[in-house]
Amino acid sequence: MSTIAPDEVIELISSVRARHPGVELHLCDADAPNLRRRLLAGDLEVAIYALPSNTPDEEVHSLPLFHEQMVMAVHLGHRLANQRCVRVKEMSSESYIHRNNCEFAGYADAILAEQGVTVNPVYWSDRDDWTLSMIATGLGFGFIPKHTAKHPGVVALPITDPEFWREVNLVTVRGRRHSPAVGALVREATQKKWFGERLGALSAAAE
């Protein structure tokens, strides 16, 4: 998924290459809905993405890799920059930079509407690095994954009331036979420490 910080995925690729030299990986990035469609169509053998939903996806098997909080990213001089966190209602009337590939688009809108919060979209971007640069210059705030919000001119504020978290999964099609290469990738992903924590034990909960 294109909104995942690349360092962790590159570390996974490196471990696969080191321990399974016969495996050839073809890597592509896209938003979560497109990855899911390509996975079900057979264009992809495996995908890594997050889709916020309270309804289980019965067509796929999801192996949880890590949980990550979403933050409000603001520039250093923003009125909220010195707070430890920000409540959803404090976002109201703020200028907003929309990340076109954000998996929370639509999902978060409903929650903001329930609380009577409105934001003013001023720019749209496919790229998180551009989004962060625009935030740093004061053009608006962003709704960003915690580990992506890394920029010297940006402050990342955890969002509360409610909090927003994403669960990033390694996803395969349920019931489909897979190549030994997929098995190798799954083993490495399960054993890897994602952002310093080993979450492979969560896989049982996804069954």
Side-chain angles (χ1 to χ4, degrees):
M1 185 171 65
S2 54
T3 64
I4 297 176
D7 292 352
E8 294 292 315
V9 178
I10 291 171
E11 188 176 281
L12 173 63
I13 293 169
S14 297
S15 67
V16 172
R17 180 170 179 81
R19 298 185 178 92
H20 310 276
V23 172
E24 183 176 345
L25 287 173
H26 293 256
L27 184 67
C28 66
D29 68 329
D31 60 35
N34 276 323
L35 288 175
R36 182 183 180 277
R37 283 193 290 269
R38 294 185 63 187
L39 186 68
L40 293 176
D43 296 335
L44 303 175
E45 285 194 274
V46 62
I48 296 176
Y49 63 71
L51 278 173
S53 174
N54 295 323
T55 304
D57 189 341
E58 299 296 340
E59 294 186 90
V60 301
H61 177 269
S62 297
L63 171 69
L65 299 179
F66 61 89
H67 293 85
E68 183 174 25
Q69 189 170 17
M70 303 296 290
V71 301
M72 181 183 184
V74 300
H75 67 97
L76 296 176
H78 192 277
R79 65 181 180 87
L80 300 172
N82 293 323
Q83 297 188 180
R84 295 181 59 185
C85 59
V86 59
R87 293 181 296 113
V88 165
K89 288 189 175 180
E90 293 179 279
M91 297 179 178
S92 196
S93 302
E94 288 283 338
S95 296
Y96 172 59
I97 299 174
H98 180 77
R99 297 161 57 244
N100 290 333
N101 295 320
C102 179
E103 66 273 17
F104 277 89
Y107 180 88
D109 291 346
I111 295 175
L112 267 60
E114 287 175 2
Q115 299 214 17
V117 174
T118 59
V119 294
N120 306 312
V122 290
Y123 295 100
W124 288 256
S125 177
D126 290 330
R127 291 175 48 173
D128 285 351
D129 55 345
W130 281 56
T131 299
L132 288 168
S133 294
M134 287 190 283
I135 293 169
T137 58
L139 295 177
F141 83 90
F143 190 58
I144 305 280
K146 176 182 177 181
H147 294 104
T148 302
K150 296 179 180 179
H151 189 288
V154 168
V155 177
L157 303 171
I159 300 168
T160 64
D161 298 326
E163 295 182 351
F164 290 86
W165 289 79
R166 68 177 185 178
E167 180 182 270
V168 175
N169 300 289
L170 189 148
V171 186
T172 55
V173 176
R174 191 176 295 276
R176 180 180 293 171
R177 294 188 64 182
H178 298 291
S179 67
V182 172
L185 179 67
V186 170
R187 285 193 296 276
E188 295 302 325
T190 301
Q191 295 174 20
K192 173 179 160 47
K193 288 186 176 180
W194 294 87
F195 299 104
E197 295 187 25
R198 193 181 302 279
L199 294 178
L202 291 174
S203 61
E207 295 290 348

